[in-house]
Amino acid sequence: MLTAALTPTADVSQHGFIMPDADFDKVRRSSRVFMRVRIVVAGKNSESRRFRSACETIVINAHGCLLYLDQPLKMDGMVIVTNPFTQEEQECRIVFLGDATDKGQRVGVEFLTPAPHFWGVDFVPADWPASPASLMPN
């Protein structure tokens, strides 16, 4: 969650408006990793039609990803993201709808439950939460 503490406003009279200065606290829950991962996304689009599309990520983190998807979607919609290499699935909420590109629309999804090992990366950043299995004593 992005939090901001507003400070006194700065007058920008030449443009005719006033903008608040923002002091942003911690912005990300986990580090982003720019990595292309082939995934499958399934759900219902904004026209209530079921879809299942193979696509790829742009950025991943322990809490979700940014991906390209060629489907009309709504904010806060739900989709299932599947990693075809592990067959693991994650329920996700759509939290960002970006610009359309030749590869599809940029879509940000958030896992309903953090899943840092979903991506199968060996170089898990230190701020990604540990999996429950790794916290169990031997």
Side-chain angles (χ1 to χ4, degrees):
M1 177 188 294
L2 183 66
T3 59
L6 295 179
T7 57
T9 58
D11 185 6
V12 188
S13 57
Q14 68 186 13
H15 298 290
F17 61 90
I18 296 175
M19 290 180 40
D21 292 330
D23 178 26
F24 293 99
D25 293 333
K26 186 175 181 179
V27 177
R28 298 259 158 237
R29 293 177 287 176
S30 61
S31 297
R32 292 175 166 177
V33 176
F34 287 83
M35 178 177 242
R36 281 193 255 173
V37 178
R38 292 186 189 276
I39 56 174
V40 176
V41 178
K44 286 188 178 180
N45 65 21
S46 61
E47 299 161 354
S48 297
R49 293 192 176 136
R50 290 185 186 272
F51 72 90
R52 182 174 174 84
S53 298
C55 56
E56 69 181 15
T57 64
I58 305 164
V59 176
I60 62 173
N61 72 15
H63 296 87
C65 68
L66 180 65
L67 55 94
Y68 291 116
L69 189 61
D70 196 14
Q71 287 290 326
L73 300 169
K74 290 183 181 176
M75 284 294 291
D76 294 321
M78 302 299 287
V79 293
I80 303 291
V81 173
T82 304
N83 182 332
F85 300 107
T86 63
Q87 295 303 309
E88 186 177 347
E89 295 182 344
Q90 284 291 319
E91 289 183 280
C92 302
R93 177 181 303 110
I94 298 167
V95 295
F96 172 78
L97 293 172
D99 299 330
T101 70
D102 58 336
K103 296 180 181 181
Q105 183 177 20
R106 292 182 315 125
V107 178
V109 298
E110 171 186 55
F111 296 151
L112 297 187
T113 305
H117 299 288
F118 176 80
W119 302 112
V121 294
D122 292 332
F123 53 93
V124 177
D127 63 349
W128 285 21
S131 67
S134 69
L135 298 176
M136 298 288 221
N138 289 333

